[in-house]
Amino acid sequence: MLKQIEGSHAVAHVVAQCRPNVISAYPITPQTHIVEELAEIVGAGQLDAEFVNVESEFSAASVVLGASAAGARAYTATSSQGLLLMSEVIYCIAGMRLPIVMTCANRAISAPLSIWNDQQDSMAVRDAGWIQLHAEDNQEASDLHVQAFKIAERTFLPVMVCMDGFILTHAFEPVDIPEQKEVDDFLPTFKPRHIVDPRWPRGIGLFADPRFYMETRYILHRALEKSEETIKEVSSEFAKTFGRESGGFIKAYKLEEADVVVISMGSVVGTIKELIDQLEEEGKKVGLLQICSYRPFPRHEVYRALKDKMNIVVLEKCISLGRGGILASDVRWSFPRAEKKDRDISSFVAGLGGRNISIDDLRYMVEKVEKEPVEFEFLGLKEELIAEKDM
Amino acid sequence: MEKLPLGLALDLRKVVPYETGSWRTLMPVNIMQTPPCNQDCPAGNDIRGFLRTLAEKKDYEAAWHVLTRTNPLPAICGRVCPHPCEDGCNRRDFDSPVAINSAERAVGDYGLEENLEHKKLIAHRKEKVAVIGSGPAGLSCAFHLAKRGFQVKIFEAYGEPGGMMRYGIPSYRLPNYVLRQELENIWKLGIELECNIKVGVNIPMDQLIQTHDAVFVGIGAQTGLTIDIPGQDAGNVFSGVEFLRDVNSGKYVDVGKDVVVIGGGNTAMDCARVAKRLGANVSVVYRRTRVEMPAITAEIDEAMEERVMFRYHTNPVKIIQDDDKVVGILSVQMELKEPDASGRARPVPIPGSESVIPADTVILATGQAVDYDGIEVHKRDNKWISANENLMTSIDGVFAGGDAVLGLETVSAAIGQGTRAASAIEDYIDGGVESRLSSPPVIYSKDLNTYYYNKKRRFQKEALPIHMRLKHFKELYPALDFEAIIDEAERCFSCGLCFNCGNCFMYCPDNAVRISEKTGLYEFDLDFCKGCGLCAKECPCRYIQMTLEK
Amino acid sequence: MREQSKYLEGVDKKDLFASGHRACGGCGQALAARLVADAAGENTIACVATGCLEVFSGPYPDPSWRIPFLHSLFENASAVASGVDAAYKALKKGPVNIIAQGGDGSTADIGFQSISGMFERGHNVLYVCYDNEAYMNTGVQRSSFTPYGARTSTTPTGNTTRKKNMPMLAADHGIPYVATATVDDFRDLQLKIRKALTIEGPKYIHILAPCPLGWGHHGELTVEICRLAKDTGLFPVYEIIDGKVTNVRKIPVKVPVEEYLKPQGRFKHLFKKGVPTKEVDVIQEIANQNIERFNL
């Protein structure tokens, strides 16, 4: 049923339809509306779950860790500093193969303090062993949660659904919220395989000495790589059940004919599509490759989609300080060494700390790379604010 | 190789524990040690054994069998033994010693009440052993030999068996029925007894030696020694042994109103208290002080309670008689000077301190000697029988023990000697075997971890009130409460032997103390023991000790 | 089979924390962990914080736990246990004993926030603190449970602060049951564990667990040291039921603190040629204050 609804609330309702047993979270902007709404739903008796109000994100993550290890379907949501505070636990959850689902309302990282959107936070834990799915809009954000539980519980890997803070979380858009029965049919009950239960005593979280540790990492790495299949499967199952495309690995927009390809992820792809349409009218062939699953990274998909494309530009809302674009590195790595040579892969960072990415900024970017490749550039930087010595 | 499970979540039911035993440099071992009570028991009783049996199993019958492994006369020893075991008891340093003597009596009495019987270890052996004297030494020797199947015959000079137990110890200390029953129980082992046969007089010693594989001489010290004092031939002057024998034999003895007992040993105490019970005023005359008196402390205390007068520093000079009848003794006061050869202070008369003590009867309890009539053996100090460490005398195959060897000693000491002699005789008959076991080291209270013991009041046996005692010869200490004795037995520290407290089992941080499926006892699992020593440190009774790992 | 020793009536020995752990000889914490597991019984989930206990008892593939064991991090045992509790409630499973366990660092320092949250939220979790008065796993660094005067690798001249009073802090959360215990009195310790597990809501039990390595005493003295800690007044043993201090263990014969300090290497510097320094007086004063406060 299509509803004009705030993104956070849409996500909350869909999460509730997934019937998590335990929800635990700590307030942080811009994630708060999600768990507030979930608290309302639980409080109203519409969802039979334990809602644990904790004293920190660290404990929120720990509570869902414990709950999941005890056999519960567990959910949490956070953002920015909260995610960094969780980071120790984030690694554990993955290492322990606990199928937890988390929403990350993407936000900038301090300092300076900024409550506004970029994607630095989820990037900071990209190596933790979680599946990271990025939503383009609130419909996809909602849909990805339904898929996330299914993917997590099939692969025993935790899933982080990333949605841009404010831009999505606080935006009112029409969202098709599924019927409970549809979700129930799509998402089977959780069948845990390794839990703490006195009837079958297990040791979970044992320490591994050098004889064993590396293999555990290998297994986790391979599990993430292999989750590609599950992510695709679940996405197509979802399309079959709900009649719309959501999630998956990558999505393409006007890619086939394109001379210049923009690669990005998250809500900014909406603006990019708008630009592509404008440029098309002007006779320029520009296409879009949208990364839906940032981890596992769709390396082969990216290569297959772009092997004929020689002018590629990566736009991202995060930066590896002292190094440059993070997504750009992932994209560059997707091409075999021999094919890298003559290909231009430009890298732009934009929208940090909530800076608006205007269609003009994007047009500037595309026009610039048409002329020559750009190694790395901050898009929309106000140079007038920067002292000479800091340039 | 086992494949790594999902999330490294391990099924704990399949864990094969990692063995940590190789970390050890010290290893715990169980070492049974000798408790001081056992060490100090002249009869060689397993005191800890019978007390623990009472405490743990509350089983008097089992305790009786533990005790009678060594001692055929527990009911008697439980009454007359001066219990050196209690002096050594490690509990002395904690609160007060375990009332071992009372416990022994209770166990002995239980045996009498329930007619418990000794068990033979070996049914029959053809070798014959003659035992001269049916006192505690002879009985003990006969008992142990009979249990081992030997053909034993006892020759007793007097009309009834028992030796000093029969004729020397007054019945308020040892009732006749107790003696009779314990002896009857011994006879059941098939020992032959012939009374009124004085070996050396009625039958030559050589004959016994020729007709038996071995002979044991347990003739005691039945002759009363008198001191050289004018007037000692007067009527109503007795030796202590003679006096006690007469009374115990039921002879009527008229002691008159005033009795003076000369001497400070156990015989003197017995004579004084017997005379008191015959209605006399009794004075004990002794040259030194109470401290030097050789009598058992408890006996002196009881005599004092019974209003026996003690005249210390007093030496009899002369027995004064009128018409051949004693009327008093002239005595002189002494003062003590530097010690003599015996180590006791040397009494020297104070000039002009003579006085007269009125007396109708004078008892000279001034020593006893062996009656060697017809028995030719080497002597020690020309007094006691000389025997080697195996208790063999100068005659091959003739062994000796008890007072005749030791000098004046206790029933328990005589029993111990009888036991040793029996073992030596068996070795002798079997031909030069020496079966002496070395006992493990003695454990003292400094070695114990007394934290785990609780303070508890010692059992106190109750004597008859004074006014009841002196009217008759009834036993001074009435029957003991069996329940109370079990409580008392629980006070035993079980020095040097596990009493199943479970400390090692509970405290081992490595769970390396297990209950053995075979024995049910605690055992060390050396696959896991790291040798920390906590079990040894917290073992209350030092049954666990740490040794260097091999 | 030998009868159960009458001295061990009411005591549990099931080896649910089994042999084969890598603790040092005489480890107080290993002993305590077994006493706790055995008292709690099979129907128990242990949520353990990183630390000595976890490291010596939880290596793959041969951990010592025979009850379900869940470990993730140093500072989150209480929160993980909260999650297990929430899961059991939500899944309508149980009843089950949930015991969060940690050393003094994970209780009083890095995990303090998490334990406070668990208490405040009212989870049905027993938290057991194994107090060995420093960070032993990492090489004996000072924690906020390190007592005055003790030498650690980060207080080489002796600790200058007093020990944080965790039982009182726990009680001030308004939780229904708080108790202290020591490994020498296993009966008392196990009684308290069993008692705590009958009470609904958060519980806190603080167990003094000597560390031979960190305290510098022989492994065989672990039990003896506990006794001295109690009998000097330095470690009061009591319960706090619904906010009221009760069942205080009376000291049978008071012992001067020197007897507790002297066998321990960490206090060796407090005696110059056997003569106590003024720090010993301060420690005696701490003991005296405890004696007065708890009427020991």
Side-chain angles (χ1 to χ4, degrees), chain B residues 2-5 8-10 12-20 23 52 55-56 58 449 451-452 490 498-522 525 528 530-534 536-538 546, chain C residues 1-8 11-28 30-31 34-35 38 59-69 183-187 190 218-225 227 230-231 249 252:
Chain B
E2 200 70 26
K3 304 295 183 202
L4 300 181
L8 211 63
L10 187 69
L12 296 174
R13 291 167 299 189
K14 291 181 186 159
V15 171
V16 179
Y18 172 79
E19 295 187 353
T20 51
W23 299 15
R52 293 314 310 169
E56 278 175 40
K58 306 192 191 320
N449 188 343
Y451 183 87
Y452 297 98
E490 283 173 349
C498 178
F499 62 97
N500 199 17
C501 77
N503 275 357
C504 53
F505 184 58
M506 286 307 293
Y507 279 139
C508 177
D510 295 290
N511 308 355
V513 178
R514 319 256 194 224
I515 298 173
S516 160
E517 287 189 8
K518 260 189 253 159
T519 62
L521 304 174
Y522 293 123
D525 188 338
F528 296 100
K530 293 173 187 156
C532 70
L534 196 51
K537 180 81 174 75
E538 299 309 326
M546 302 305 289
Chain C
M1 196 70 189
R2 188 175 204 162
E3 285 169 48
Q4 165 81 15
S5 164
K6 64 177 175 179
Y7 300 93
L8 300 184
V11 170
D12 288 311
K13 179 81 160 59
K14 302 170 182 165
D15 292 0
L16 295 176
F17 181 86
S19 306
H21 57 71
R22 274 77 155 171
C24 309
C27 175
L31 171 53
R34 191 241 304 147
L35 293 172
D38 285 357
Y60 180 86
D62 39 24
S64 282
W65 298 86
R66 298 295 176 266
I67 50 174
F69 164 89
V183 291
D184 68 296
D185 193 345
F186 48 78
R187 183 178 305 275
Q190 292 199 323
H218 290 293
E220 62 170 19
L221 291 181
T222 291
V223 165
E224 180 73 16
I225 293 276
R227 238 175 251 143
K230 292 191 295 187
D231 289 350
R249 175 192 178 268

Side-chain angles (χ1 to χ4, degrees), chain A residues 48-92:
Chain A
D48 183 13
E50 285 292 313
F51 191 97
V52 186
N53 276 306
V54 283
E55 80 296 337
S56 68
E57 285 90 354
F58 187 85
S59 282
S62 300
V63 164
V64 292
L65 181 154
S68 181
R73 179 175 285 168
Y75 169 82
T76 185
T78 191
S79 183
S80 180
Q81 308 303 131
L83 187 62
L84 291 200
L85 185 58
M86 282 183 178
S87 59
E88 249 199 301
V89 193
I90 294 291
Y91 273 78
C92 275

Side-chain angles (χ1 to χ4, degrees), chain A residues 35 100 160 164 209 249 293 303 320 342 355:
Chain A
V35 287
I100 289 165
M160 187 183 297
D164 285 318
D209 65 29
F249 241 37
S293 164
Y303 172 65
S320 171
D342 302 320
R355 174 71 49 86

